[in-house]
Amino acid sequence: MEPISAAAARETRLCPKPFAQLQEQKMSEEIWVSSVGSNYLLGDKLGIREKHYGQDWAPPKFEHDAPTKEQAFNSNRHARGEKLRREEFVEAAFVFDQKRWPRAKDFFAVDGFYAVKGRLAAILKDFDLGEGELVEFPIYEADKTTRLPGPFYFLNFGSQKDCFIADETKGSRLIGRNKKTGVELWGAAIEPMDGDIAVASSALEGADLWIDPKLNGKIFMSGRLHDAIEAAKLKIDFRFSKARILQR
């Protein structure tokens, strides 16, 4: 039998379009899970502080005060993939430590909210975010007046899929239940291996980026989006693992 690589090359020469379509279809039939939320570097002493709507600027220090009840509520909704209004995010941020600010990569956190910039923002604009969107916000220099070039965006997920299969996921554990909706909240390994997390085949439909409200701390994305991010070599540890897709 001729080697797979040679067979693939021969098929590409004879019938390039169908082979390319098959490769694209294969990528689109993959689901990837990102445990990037467990990466503490996303918001670790980046030298920026924030201002919430209707409030004063946070003091220029690395230590954070306890969030208000409303701020904690909105941050939790963001983590569950619910779509937020602009005023429910941070209004703006400023850089108080120029030496630390370069630590912020194309994916970073501002007071509990995920933010993107640069090449990652450009990639996301080319994919289907479903009900989600990129919400632009300003970051200023220390004078809180001079705006940095940017642009900077909050990642307003907005897209949720009910696809996580807890009883087929390795190491899954029930950690809570939404009192209002009755939806169970499950946990999984901090950094799962390929195939540990199981999802229904319905996850292949719709948006390229989403959150499953039943699984704590994970971001899902299509094979196409995963491959685009990997190809960009963003120097961000997204902590990817491939999901196991079940016909359900």
Side-chain angles (χ1 to χ4, degrees):
M1 179 180 295
E2 89 182 294
I4 293 177
S5 58
R10 180 168 59 83
E11 186 170 356
T12 302
R13 289 194 302 270
L14 296 176
C15 194
K17 289 187 178 179
F19 180 74
Q21 290 170 356
L22 286 172
Q23 291 296 91
E24 184 176 356
Q25 180 181 2
K26 182 179 178 181
M27 289 189 296
S28 66
E29 290 177 351
E30 293 178 351
I31 299 296
W32 288 82
V33 185
S34 172
S35 301
V36 70
S38 64
N39 184 354
Y40 75 95
L41 294 175
L42 293 180
D44 181 48
K45 297 181 179 180
L46 301 182
I48 59 174
R49 288 308 304 267
E50 72 291 335
K51 179 187 183 303
H52 288 269
Y53 282 91
Q55 298 185 23
D56 293 330
W57 287 98
K61 61 179 184 178
F62 294 116
E63 298 76 16
H64 287 239
D65 296 329
T68 66
K69 185 177 180 179
E70 182 180 9
Q71 290 167 7
F73 178 67
N74 290 332
S75 180
N76 288 333
R77 290 176 57 219
H78 176 65
R80 293 196 300 267
E82 296 182 22
K83 188 170 185 177
L84 304 185
R85 301 190 305 273
R86 174 65 186 95
E87 61 270 20
E88 292 173 327
F89 284 102
V90 164
E91 180 179 357
F94 76 100
V95 176
F96 71 88
D97 188 332
Q98 288 287 351
K99 293 182 180 179
R100 295 276 186 167
W101 171 236
R103 291 161 57 102
K105 306 304 180 185
D106 281 8
F107 189 73
F108 60 104
V110 180
D111 203 32
F113 298 103
Y114 291 134
V116 299
K117 61 183 177 69
R119 286 184 293 168
L120 180 57
I123 289 171
L124 291 175
K125 289 179 180 180
D126 286 335
F127 284 84
D128 181 3
L129 302 183
E131 294 298 316
E133 61 184 352
L134 299 183
V135 177
E136 188 169 359
F137 73 101
I139 297 182
Y140 298 101
E141 295 183 6
D143 61 9
K144 306 184 187 70
T145 301
T146 306
R147 189 163 177 166
L148 295 183
F152 308 99
Y153 305 92
F154 285 119
L155 181 52
N156 197 4
F157 289 105
S159 183
Q160 296 177 314
K161 294 184 186 181
D162 183 5
C163 59
F164 172 66
I165 305 176
D167 59 1
E168 293 286 352
T169 293
K170 182 178 179 180
S172 64
R173 64 194 185 283
L174 183 64
I175 60 177
R177 189 186 301 271
N178 189 308
K179 294 181 179 179
K180 292 184 178 180
T181 64
V183 174
E184 295 177 339
L185 180 62
W186 292 80
I190 295 177
E191 293 188 47
M193 303 294 288
D194 286 352
D196 283 356
I197 293 179
V199 298
S201 56
S202 58
L204 295 168
E205 303 172 1
D208 290 299
L209 181 72
W210 69 95
I211 299 268
D212 190 313
K214 301 193 305 299
L215 183 58
N216 183 56
K218 307 298 182 187
I219 301 172
F220 288 87
M221 64 183 67
S222 67
R224 294 190 315 112
L225 177 53
H226 162 270
D227 290 351
I229 290 174
E230 289 287 86
K233 298 180 180 180
L234 299 174
K235 297 182 179 180
I236 300 168
D237 186 3
F238 281 95
R239 304 183 178 183
F240 282 123
S241 62
K242 188 186 295 187
R244 191 169 80 260
I245 303 173
L246 303 179
Q247 297 298 322
R248 288 195 179 185

